[in-house]
Amino acid sequence: MGIDKLYRLWRRTFIACPLCYHKTDIPHYLCPSCQRVHTRLLPSSYGIFNHRCLCGNQLPTTFLNGRNRFPTLCPKCHHEINTKQATPLCIPIVGGPSVGKTCFLFAAVKGLVEEIVPQKGWQIRFLDEPNKMFYRQMSERFSQGILPAKTPELMPITFNFVLKNSRWATEKMVYFYDVAGEVFQQSEILGTHKFYEYFHGLIFIIDPFSIPELMTTYQSCFKQYAKMIKPSDMMLDDAFDMMILNLEKNYQVKPEQTIKKPCAIVINKIDVFDLQTQLGEKAAQALMQQNKQILTLPEAMNKVCKDHLRAWGLGHFIRNLENKFANYQFFTCSALGHYQDGKAFQSQGVTEPLIWLL
């Protein structure tokens, strides 16, 4: 039992239920012969290396002799979890309503599957057939220029898939959680999202058109595009503050504590008007040419984005971000690439935050 526990600690393996978000080190196992549930399949007085099921089948009790081959159930909600022996990576995608979280999630997963995985020689497989079919349906909708449905308030959209890399000792089970923006106005619901207890990194999405100071710049030409752009009606400061309050209230993060887990701050919808020239990679490269003390593109991107946000009256947000997160990076993207109905979406900049977090 000690070896099994040490292995799980060493590999940082645990199981996170994609349905109820319950975290467990040892799930319930099903006997492949009779489907009986075994709640403590561990070395014990019933057997060091095997337990005998009532049907007579011998069940291994450790990872060394094949316990992870058997079907597993969540101990809390009894949902079947097909995770095997993978190290979880749990990444919530958060932000206010209508900032583009769902579009970002779908575009990022599509870019990961079709571009990043082949380029880097990784291997990917979806957790189960429903996840695979979900991805296929999403990919088809994107190719037809059809917007994804809005995230339900009570149940975040979850994407589960397994990544394998020759440099990793174990496979990575990736969990992306798309949390409805309306939930940030209802702290009692946020308290049920238990994945905040074990997240490995955050993606915080910003809709620049939720910033009043920026909106005044484009006020004269905005009306004709308002329905397509669909600006968020929640202030950026409010969404960020609610996320931090949730972590402090429900997940043992102290008010004075600095969170060491990485946070990708992603400014979406930069394909609209001239935001690309103000906030995109070209703006960061131009800054590097002007200021030789800035040596890297990520450093330049951070400065470009923070300078603009301060100019738009969001100095309070920048101060909170710097005080709360020890490791953050700004990114800019367009999850859709355009705002024309019926035309295939061509996302820009959506995979960079994932690569940084992974």
Side-chain angles (χ1 to χ4, degrees):
M1 184 173 179
I3 294 176
D4 188 80
K5 185 174 182 179
L6 285 173
Y7 176 83
R8 285 184 274 113
L9 290 173
W10 177 42
R11 296 298 191 198
R12 299 179 181 177
T13 61
F14 61 85
I15 288 178
C17 177
L19 189 63
C20 73
Y21 321 123
H22 178 68
K23 174 188 173 183
T24 181
D25 293 331
I26 298 295
H28 293 174
Y29 290 88
L30 289 177
C31 173
S33 297
C34 69
Q35 301 299 300
R36 180 178 295 275
V37 178
H38 292 259
T39 60
R40 295 288 294 173
L41 197 55
L42 293 165
S44 67
S45 58
Y46 294 103
I48 301 299
F49 296 107
N50 294 281
H51 287 184
R52 184 182 294 277
C53 181
L54 291 179
C55 71
N57 192 28
Q58 291 280 359
L59 306 178
T61 59
T62 71
F63 69 93
L64 291 171
N65 58 348
R67 181 185 60 199
N68 62 307
R69 297 196 309 267
F70 294 151
T72 58
L73 300 177
C74 170
K76 186 174 182 180
C77 71
H78 308 295
H79 174 72
E80 186 169 351
I81 312 172
N82 183 25
T83 61
K84 297 192 181 292
Q85 196 72 44
T87 302
L89 290 175
C90 306
I91 303 173
I93 300 173
V94 297
S98 301
V99 298
K101 297 183 299 298
T102 304
C103 292
F104 175 87
L105 170 63
F106 288 173
V109 172
K110 182 176 172 63
L112 186 71
V113 172
E114 298 181 3
E115 299 174 21
I116 302 304
V117 166
Q119 288 173 7
K120 293 186 173 291
W122 295 355
Q123 297 178 37
I124 188 170
R125 72 174 188 275
F126 288 96
L127 179 62
D128 49 32
E129 194 61 30
N131 262 267
K132 190 174 182 179
M133 289 300 297
F134 187 33
Y135 169 75
R136 287 177 178 173
Q137 292 169 2
M138 172 275 298
S139 183
E140 184 176 348
R141 290 176 65 90
F142 254 60
S143 66
Q144 296 173 357
I146 302 173
L147 287 171
K150 191 172 180 63
T151 305
E153 289 190 22
L154 295 179
M155 188 62 66
I157 292 175
T158 306
F159 248 127
N160 305 127
F161 53 86
V162 178
L163 279 178
K164 188 175 182 180
N165 183 332
S166 59
R167 296 180 348 203
W168 297 338
T170 59
E171 296 178 324
K172 307 297 183 185
M173 171 58 68
V174 181
Y175 296 80
F176 282 124
Y177 299 103
D178 170 21
V179 183
E182 289 79 5
V183 167
F184 284 86
Q185 300 165 334
Q186 305 174 59
S187 59
E188 68 278 4
I189 299 178
L190 276 175
T192 67
H193 293 169
K194 297 301 182 183
F195 46 79
Y196 285 110
E197 293 178 354
Y198 49 79
F199 75 90
H200 294 83
L202 289 168
I203 297 177
F204 184 80
I205 307 291
I206 294 175
D207 177 3
F209 297 101
S210 67
I211 303 171
E213 285 78 359
L214 179 140
M215 284 292 289
T216 59
T217 305
Y218 302 103
Q219 190 172 10
S220 60
C221 55
F222 185 79
K223 287 185 178 180
Q224 58 182 315
Y225 302 109
K227 289 184 179 180
M228 291 179 283
I229 297 173
K230 298 178 182 177
S232 175
D233 60 1
M234 188 175 189
M235 299 291 287
L236 166 58
D237 274 337
D238 293 341
F240 187 82
D241 289 347
M242 184 59 76
M243 179 182 74
I244 299 303
L245 286 173
N246 170 50
L247 293 174
E248 293 174 355
K249 179 181 178 182
N250 299 306
Y251 303 107
Q252 291 76 55
V253 175
K254 298 178 181 178
E256 69 278 6
Q257 179 181 348
T258 299
I259 299 171
K260 296 181 180 180
K261 295 174 181 179
C263 181
I265 311 295
V266 182
I267 302 177
N268 192 16
K269 304 182 183 180
I270 65 163
D271 58 295
V272 183
F273 305 130
D274 63 343
L275 286 180
Q276 177 70 50
T277 59
Q278 294 189 56
L279 297 171
E281 187 173 317
K282 289 183 179 179
Q285 291 173 341
L287 178 62
M288 291 176 66
Q289 292 178 353
Q290 296 171 9
N291 189 342
K292 299 302 181 182
Q293 293 182 337
I294 299 177
L295 301 178
T296 66
L297 188 62
E299 184 184 359
M301 185 65 74
N302 276 350
K303 181 167 176 53
V304 165
C305 292
K306 288 197 291 185
D307 285 351
H308 276 83
L309 290 172
R310 287 192 183 101
W312 293 330
L314 289 167
H316 173 72
F317 164 71
I318 298 298
R319 289 190 295 273
N320 281 354
L321 173 65
E322 293 176 339
N323 289 335
K324 205 63 192 177
F325 286 94
N327 184 16
Y328 66 87
Q329 177 63 48
F330 276 90
F331 299 88
T332 60
C333 82
S334 172
L336 301 179
H338 63 79
Y339 45 87
Q340 300 177 33
D341 291 334
K343 181 181 176 182
F345 296 130
Q346 297 177 335
S347 307
Q348 306 165 19
V350 293
T351 57
E352 283 79 356
L354 301 193
I355 298 303
W356 182 72
L357 287 172
L358 292 174

